[in-house]
Amino acid sequence: PTRASGEDLKPQTRAPTRALQAALGPDIDLREWTDIKSGLARVRQDDVAAAVFDLDGKPMFLPEGFPIQPLPEPPQIRAALTSNGTEFMTDRGDTSWFCRAVALEAHSGQPDGILLIGQRWNDVENDLRTRLETAVMASLFVALFIAIAIPVVSQRYVARPLAELSDRVTRLSSDEQ
């Protein structure tokens, strides 16, 4: 995706990350794997994937069929512990993913896991290409319409009335002589 479109779409990945971070924190603290699985399943869509990693950056809970394979390297995941989260792009085969990793804090306020959410961006690239093609076609249509409309309108509303006026002036001049 373009830089502008990517910046526009990052908040769409950040919002579910914050929501899941808040929802899963207590479940991680209590090791309620059924609730964690349920929470991650609700997020799972064709273009979004979520998983939980331990503090070493190794998978703690990886939903079945997790599409970001191979997994990001542990240092990339652990970077979420040193800041307010980390964001990175990763390519897996012919699929591009925008990933955001954030610390899941336990009740004590200490990190107890790391949440990774990835959003597939291939469809974004295809959508941008389609939008660009549509805009170019619309521009060409408008230019063609203008190229045809200007001569027709100018003939009808400018040239014809001027010709009629010229004929009247010529007749009026010849009648006076």
Side-chain angles (χ1 to χ4, degrees):
T2 65
R3 181 175 174 85
S5 67
E7 293 304 317
D8 293 341
L9 292 173
K10 284 180 182 179
Q12 292 179 10
T13 302
R14 290 178 186 133
T17 304
R18 283 190 296 270
L20 263 180
Q21 185 180 19
L24 294 180
D27 295 332
I28 294 288
D29 197 23
L30 299 172
R31 304 286 192 246
E32 294 178 355
W33 299 113
T34 305
D35 291 344
I36 293 167
K37 181 179 180 179
S38 173
L40 295 179
R42 283 192 299 262
V43 166
R44 179 73 194 263
Q45 301 169 3
D46 290 338
D47 295 336
V48 177
V52 177
F53 292 79
D54 66 17
L55 297 178
D56 293 324
K58 296 177 186 162
M60 186 186 317
F61 186 81
L62 199 61
E64 188 176 324
F66 187 71
I68 305 174
Q69 296 290 340
L71 295 172
E73 294 295 319
Q76 212 169 13
I77 300 294
R78 285 194 314 264
L81 299 172
T82 59
S83 63
N84 290 334
T86 184
E87 297 175 345
F88 55 92
M89 291 295 298
T90 185
D91 293 321
R92 299 296 189 255
D94 58 351
T95 304
S96 296
W97 292 89
F98 169 71
C99 297
R100 177 158 171 80
V102 294
L104 291 170
E105 292 184 3
H107 185 68
S108 64
Q110 295 298 312
D112 202 22
I114 300 168
L115 172 66
L116 173 73
I117 292 202
Q119 181 179 21
R120 183 183 356 228
W121 277 25
N122 291 53
D123 292 336
V124 172
E125 292 172 356
N126 293 336
D127 183 50
L128 289 173
R129 191 174 304 113
T130 301
R131 286 182 186 189
L132 179 62
E133 290 169 357
T134 302
V136 168
M137 292 302 292
S139 298
L140 290 173
F141 175 75
V142 168
L144 180 64
F145 177 76
I146 289 171
I148 293 170
I150 287 176
V152 170
V153 169
S154 66
Q155 175 67 27
R156 180 176 178 144
Y157 294 105
V158 177
R160 221 180 268 162
L162 282 176
E164 289 174 10
L165 181 61
S166 177
D167 287 344
R168 287 183 188 164
V169 168
T170 305
R171 265 187 271 138
L172 187 59
S173 294
S174 20
D175 287 345
E176 287 181 3
Q177 291 177 350

